[in-house]
Amino acid sequence: GLMFGLIAAGVLLSVLLARSLRRPLSRMRNAARTIQQGDFFVRLPVDTTDEIGDLAQSINDMTLGLAEKEKIKDSFGRAVDPRVRDFLLQGSEAMGGSETEATILFSDIRGFTSFSESHTAQEVVEWINTYFERMAECVRAHGGVVNKYVGDAILAIFNAPVPLENHQRAALDCALQMLNELSRLNAELAARGNAPIRIGIGLHTGPVVAGLIGSNDRREYTVIGDTVNTASRMESAGEVGTVN
């Protein structure tokens, strides 16, 4: 009788222990699935001080770290093109510098200085951000990368760092779409009583040196070389509203 009593007590304790573990383990399994789907804001209750509670707290700490990294990644993706961001985060050897063929697109607003002098800072920022958004969408649609905004100018790269087949044609189609999009934007500006935007675009294909360039405390992924300089000069020398 004593033996059977001990066995029954052992079975009962096992059942109670299993029930006490089933719920927190189920919560952890569901949390792991949620995290796997990219939701880093799930939180587990920490209602015990044993190993289960420690594990739940560790999962909470992990999700906080993942959420912070995702926020940094998203902010980084707004500072540079997301494809450049991913390229840099991969730690590619090409970050140190490599020579490749690329098509460079330069675009510049004509008469921007006089416009900015006759409008408030808020109006200028709103106006130029609208313009940049429309033009950047054209670049993205044709596989290019907006490398930087230099004042009111745009530098876009086709075929670096992401390889792009027939990048010369893609850049030309992008430039033509930019002019078409600009016509639509100018129609909207005219309806609000604003002056039209006038731009020039320069394209050039050739070898460029691409990589992280700058000082030890601040670098950026960009391209340099005669191809870049030639595209810039072609944009400056060309007529307004044309592709050169």
Side-chain angles (χ1 to χ4, degrees):
L2 179 60
M3 182 182 299
F4 284 121
L6 291 175
I7 292 174
V11 172
L12 179 61
L13 289 174
S14 298
V15 171
L16 293 175
L17 180 60
R19 287 182 177 178
S20 67
L21 293 176
R22 183 183 301 121
R23 187 174 181 181
L25 290 178
S26 177
R27 288 198 300 251
M28 292 178 188
R29 182 179 64 249
N30 294 334
R33 291 174 178 172
T34 302
I35 295 170
Q36 189 176 23
Q37 294 171 359
D39 183 356
F40 304 127
F41 296 97
V42 61
R43 296 293 180 268
L44 292 171
V46 181
D47 44 19
T48 62
T49 58
D50 56 8
E51 289 80 0
I52 296 297
D54 292 342
L55 182 57
Q57 184 60 53
S58 297
I59 292 176
N60 289 341
D61 293 341
M62 179 188 69
T63 55
L64 284 173
L66 291 173
E68 183 64 23
K69 289 181 180 179
E70 190 66 20
K71 181 180 179 180
I72 294 173
K73 185 178 179 181
D74 180 67
S75 299
F76 190 18
R78 295 177 185 273
V80 298
D81 187 285
R83 287 165 295 176
V84 176
R85 174 200 64 194
D86 295 339
F87 174 80
L88 297 178
L89 292 177
Q90 289 174 1
S92 172
E93 294 180 358
M95 290 191 302
S98 64
E99 185 172 287
T100 185
E101 182 183 82
T103 300
I104 305 301
L105 182 151
F106 262 102
S107 175
D108 179 74
I109 298 177
R110 305 297 169 82
F112 178 74
T113 301
S114 60
F115 173 85
S116 61
E117 291 175 348
S118 59
H119 291 76
T120 66
Q122 183 176 355
E123 289 173 336
V124 171
V125 170
E126 181 181 356
W127 182 82
I128 198 169
N129 281 345
T130 300
Y131 164 76
F132 278 152
E133 180 59 33
R134 300 286 186 91
M135 298 300 104
E137 181 57 35
C138 296
V139 175
R140 289 191 293 265
H142 290 87
V145 171
V146 175
N147 182 245
K148 65 179 68 177
Y149 301 106
V150 185
D152 59 313
I154 298 174
L155 168 60
I157 311 170
F158 293 80
N159 202 41
V162 182
L164 179 63
E165 185 177 355
N166 198 7
H167 52 89
Q168 302 93 333
R169 182 67 197 187
L172 177 59
D173 290 341
C174 171
L176 295 175
Q177 184 181 347
M178 289 171 68
L179 294 179
N180 291 333
E181 186 63 33
L182 181 64
S183 296
R184 287 189 284 269
L185 178 58
N186 280 335
E188 297 173 14
L189 293 174
R192 298 198 295 265
N194 294 322
I197 301 174
R198 302 163 63 248
I199 68 171
I201 301 176
L203 299 173
H204 191 60
T205 299
V208 298
V209 175
L212 283 177
I213 296 175
S215 61
N216 289 330
D217 60 343
R218 186 179 184 277
R219 298 184 181 183
E220 65 174 356
Y221 179 87
T222 190
V223 290
I224 57 176
D226 289 340
T227 299
V228 181
N229 299 334
T230 301
S232 178
R233 288 193 293 267
M234 292 179 68
E235 181 278 317
S236 299
E239 296 181 5
V240 174
T242 61
V243 179
N244 304 290

